Amino acid sequence: MAYSKDQLLARLKELQIEFSRYEHPVVLTVEAQAKYVGNLGGALSKNLFLKDKKHRYYVVSALADTKVDLKVLSQRLGLGKGGLRMAAEEALIEILKVPLGCVTPFAVVNESARHVSLLLDQGFKTQEYCFFHPLSNDMSISLNAHSLDKFLKSIGRDPSYVDLEANPPVGKDQPPDLAAFVPSDAPILSDLPVKAPTQDSTGKHVSAASNSAAVAAKAVKPSGSAQNVKEKPVNTVQPSIPAADAGNFVEELLDRASALLLSEISEDSIKQHCGQLGVEVANNIKKCLREDVKNLATIFKNTAYTEGFYAGTRYQPKRL
């Protein structure tokens, strides 16, 4: 059984770890989270779930303003420039047991994540406290690096803090400085079945390949600052479109549907189907558009998946 939010919070209390909790609507990005807890003084974090070509997995947790270059990180791990990419959503659910938007260092608590390597930003140690989702993105909890270490050690993890912005040379006489963090005991697995293309890094900062994608996921209307658990919690969560270009997505669907509809109506088809023309056209449109709609929805989905990380590179938290 996967850990739940309540079980995690209970575990923290059992370990006598001090933390504050703040309930808020579901958020998918660092930018959205900042609307509710960004004014509370702590540092926000951004988190990536990555995989290499041998199907070994990594969680990278960094301060929101830390610049992480996946090409550089891949080289530092000894995986070559293109050795890392975003893990598929199916792997996220299967291995970390959390949905999109809920990746944090706490996600390695489950037994299924025992082979996942965890890299923590050394910048966490400079903060009085940091915000993380407790396996669910309708709440944020704040705690310091010492408390996070205490939790990780309780599950058999040795906390590893690294300079994620460093770019040391790697060569024949200069071995990769992070090679020790590659999971050596991880079983080599075949790819989990995926519904969408995986993503590669491009550019200086972390970005997805042009085929990265994202379905409409649950987001919410901002409702002001988050409510501490001691105050009245936010109960109403209204779904809306995530931070991707929904307008272009809809226009693309309409353009393809319109073009297909016009192509289906001709003098010959009218004569052939007569009163059944509407049914025939509808069936043909469904048949022809099914894959196109799936592909467009996939593109929209992975875009939303990576929006959280992009927002993190733009958001500058208050320094304590």
Side-chain angles (χ1 to χ4, degrees):
M1 290 290 291
Y3 254 69
S4 67
K5 174 178 67 177
D6 291 339
Q7 288 174 320
L8 175 63
L9 296 177
R11 177 63 172 159
L12 294 176
K13 292 178 180 178
E14 179 184 329
L15 293 169
Q16 298 183 336
I17 291 175
E18 293 185 5
F19 66 94
S20 296
R21 50 186 279 190
Y22 303 89
E23 296 182 353
H24 51 67
V26 172
V27 294
L28 292 173
T29 67
V30 176
E31 196 171 48
Q33 183 188 24
K35 294 178 181 178
Y36 304 105
V37 297
N39 63 336
L40 300 178
L44 300 183
S45 65
K46 58 190 177 189
N47 301 272
L48 286 175
F49 185 42
L50 308 171
K51 66 171 290 186
D52 63 26
K53 293 179 180 179
K54 292 186 177 180
H55 314 297
R56 295 170 297 201
Y57 293 88
Y58 309 77
V59 168
V60 177
S61 185
L63 289 174
D65 61 344
T66 295
K67 297 177 181 178
V68 182
D69 187 325
L70 285 190
K71 289 182 179 179
V72 172
L73 182 58
S74 179
Q75 285 186 301
R76 294 177 65 191
L77 288 166
L79 304 175
K81 284 187 178 181
L84 284 177
R85 58 184 175 178
M86 301 294 289
E89 181 183 351
E90 288 74 15
L92 180 73
I93 296 171
E94 179 71 20
I95 297 173
L96 297 187
K97 306 295 185 183
V98 296
L100 292 175
C102 299
V103 177
T104 70
F106 294 118
V108 300
V109 66
N110 292 304
E111 176 63 17
S112 54
R114 66 188 180 280
H115 296 299
V116 176
S117 182
L118 175 63
L119 279 73
L120 299 169
D121 189 347
Q122 67 179 19
F124 287 145
K125 291 187 173 183
T126 68
Q127 304 298 316
E128 183 178 353
Y129 55 90
C130 304
F131 287 100
F132 301 97
H133 293 311
L135 305 180
S136 176
N137 53 356
D138 61 356
M139 177 184 289
S140 295
I141 63 173
S142 62
L143 72 173
N144 58 34
H146 175 74
S147 296
L148 178 61
D149 291 352
K150 186 175 182 180
F151 169 77
L152 292 173
K153 289 177 181 178
S154 77
I155 60 172
R157 291 274 182 166
D158 185 17
S160 302
Y161 292 87
V162 299
D163 182 358
L164 292 172
E165 290 188 332
N167 187 7
V170 176
K172 182 178 179 181
D173 299 320
Q174 296 166 309
D177 65 316
L178 300 182
F181 295 104
V182 175
S184 59
D185 58 342
I188 304 302
L189 304 174
S190 59
D191 270 326
L192 291 170
V194 296
K195 302 175 184 177
T198 50
Q199 304 154 328
D200 293 319
S201 59
T202 59
K204 183 177 180 181
H205 303 302
V206 174
S207 60
S210 58
N211 64 352
S212 63
V215 214
K218 289 184 180 180
V220 292
K221 297 180 180 179
S223 59
S225 57
Q227 299 294 314
N228 188 287
V229 70
K230 296 179 181 179
E231 302 172 358
K232 184 178 180 180
V234 177
N235 294 320
T236 304
V237 176
Q238 309 232 354
S240 66
I241 299 299
D245 196 338
N248 286 346
F249 177 77
V250 173
E251 286 298 321
E252 183 73 10
L253 288 178
L254 293 177
D255 287 344
R256 296 192 186 193
S258 298
L260 188 56
L261 177 61
L262 292 175
S263 69
E264 288 290 326
I265 300 177
S266 64
E267 289 185 6
D268 289 341
S269 63
I270 293 173
K271 291 178 181 178
Q272 180 180 355
H273 301 290
C274 298
Q276 295 299 313
L277 179 61
V279 175
E280 185 67 20
V281 169
N283 289 337
N284 285 343
I285 288 178
K286 287 180 181 178
K287 180 180 179 181
C288 295
L289 278 184
R290 183 172 287 110
E291 289 304 316
D292 277 350
V293 171
K294 284 182 180 179
N295 290 337
L296 286 172
T298 299
I299 291 171
F300 196 55
K301 174 173 135 183
N302 283 350
T303 302
Y305 181 66
T306 54
E307 276 294 323
F309 192 82
Y310 298 149
T313 63
R314 296 192 299 267
Y315 175 73
Q316 299 293 323
K318 297 178 181 178
R319 291 291 185 180
L320 299 176

